[in-house]
Amino acid sequence: MKVVVTGGAGYIGSHTVVELLERGHDVHVVDSFCNSERSVIARIAGLVGKPVPFSELDILDSSALTDCLIEVRPDAVIHFAALKSVGESISMPLEYYRANVEGTISLLSAMDAAGCSRLVFSSTATIYGEPEECPVPETASLRPPTPYGRTKLASEWVIRDCVDAPDSKLIAVILRYFNPVGAHPSGLIGELPRGLPNNLAPYITQTAAGLRSHVRVFGADYPTPDGTGVRDFIHVVDLAVAHVAALQVLEGGDGKSLTLNLGTGRPYSVLEMIQAFSDVVGHPVPYEVVERRTGDIVESWADPSRAEALLDWRATRSLREICEDAWRWQRNLSCRALED
Ligand SMILES: NC(=O)c1ccc[n+]([C@@H]2O[C@H](COP(=O)([O-])OP(=O)(O)OC[C@H]3O[C@@H](n4cnc5c(N)ncnc54)[C@H](O)[C@@H]3O)[C@@H](O)[C@H]2O)c1
């Protein structure tokens, strides 16, 4: 299939581009590089041994995006491009609604103009808020606690309304990710957090590498087995492989829209994650328990059974592999920083 990947230079996008190219798909990346480095494209090309065509553009530039899709004529689009910082979305809600909701509208219009009717969309488990039950099924109540989550839910609505419109040819797979972590086992691509990381895993690896003094654990008095928050950490390569499977489902093409959880279904606490990293790096990663952080949820992990059945897919990589791959990436990053 010929696939346009918006945000293909980003964390999850870059891993998905690798999996697509390795399985013989024809890929064209669209990225503004507002949260990624241009060098990622060359690193992907080196990894798969093929050139990676790309267009540097902002998906909010509707006419440039439309021209690009008309020229590339993709069979499908995987849409990652978005702003993703929960904290930033609280202080800059308009930027987030514009980038994420308007960006999705701009993409759907360009796809329509280019006659492309297959879409895979990146959504998030954040839209469940504090779940009533775990594991969380796709039918759980949707209560996104932040502007970021609400922009993702609003984007889901826009996509479903376009799918359901009379005479619409659009079909879509909406994927709700739990907690993507890890990096490519080659150590060549991974997460590139700018400034203070929002997520636990890069915080831990930066601390293990001596770039931060300790990990802050926000609350150890939650009603969980060890008192810390509990999450569903999924290896980014498992996530990437699920996108390839979603394309195959779209190629089959009878469903109109599908919404699927992507997680492992296995809960791990924050302290268990720190311990797993400590085992891999060979020394204890220092941490300090601090006050609970407003808006953090207590526990959330996926019921991935629908995705497993419909995509014929399963997250197979262990917590140890997650830590080993993330740590390899962090060491390579530290070496690059020293060389710069
Ligand atoms: N990483 C997570 O924890 C997580 C969890 C759930 C859902 N998601 C969703 O998955 C998607 C990918 O996340 P990620 O972690 O890879 O993020 P990322 O920031 O690493 O990648 C996003 C990419 O999109 C590009 N981009 C952003 N706005 C753009 C625009 N207007 N035009 C063109 N390019 C643009 C950025 O330059 C970047 O390369 C996002 O939609 C995010 O909301 C991420």
Side-chain angles (χ1 to χ4, degrees), residues 57-123:
L57 61 86
D58 190 322
I59 59 164
L60 288 169
D61 183 344
S62 297
S63 89
L65 183 61
T66 303
D67 289 349
C68 172
L69 292 202
I70 287 175
E71 199 190 320
V72 176
R73 291 256 159 224
D75 302 302
V77 175
I78 306 183
H79 180 34
F80 293 105
L83 300 180
K84 65 165 181 179
S85 161
V86 167
E88 202 178 58
S89 79
I90 295 167
S91 48
M92 301 164 53
L94 286 183
E95 280 79 353
Y96 271 68
Y97 276 91
R98 199 170 290 124
N100 296 0
V101 184
E102 236 181 276
T104 300
I105 294 171
S106 171
L107 174 66
L108 289 166
S109 309
M111 286 174 65
D112 192 36
C116 177
S117 56
R118 296 181 179 116
L119 175 68
V120 179
F121 175 67
S122 299
S123 190

Side-chain angles (χ1 to χ4, degrees), residues 10-12 31-32 34-36 58-59 80 84 148 152 177:
Y11 173 43
I12 306 169
D31 205 300
S32 65
C34 67
N35 197 36
S36 52
D58 190 322
I59 59 164
F80 293 105
K84 65 165 181 179
Y148 166 68
K152 285 289 171 175
Y177 316 151

Side-chain angles (χ1 to χ4, degrees), residues 9-21:
Y11 173 43
I12 306 169
S14 57
H15 290 81
T16 303
V17 170
V18 169
E19 297 305 314
L20 288 168
L21 289 168

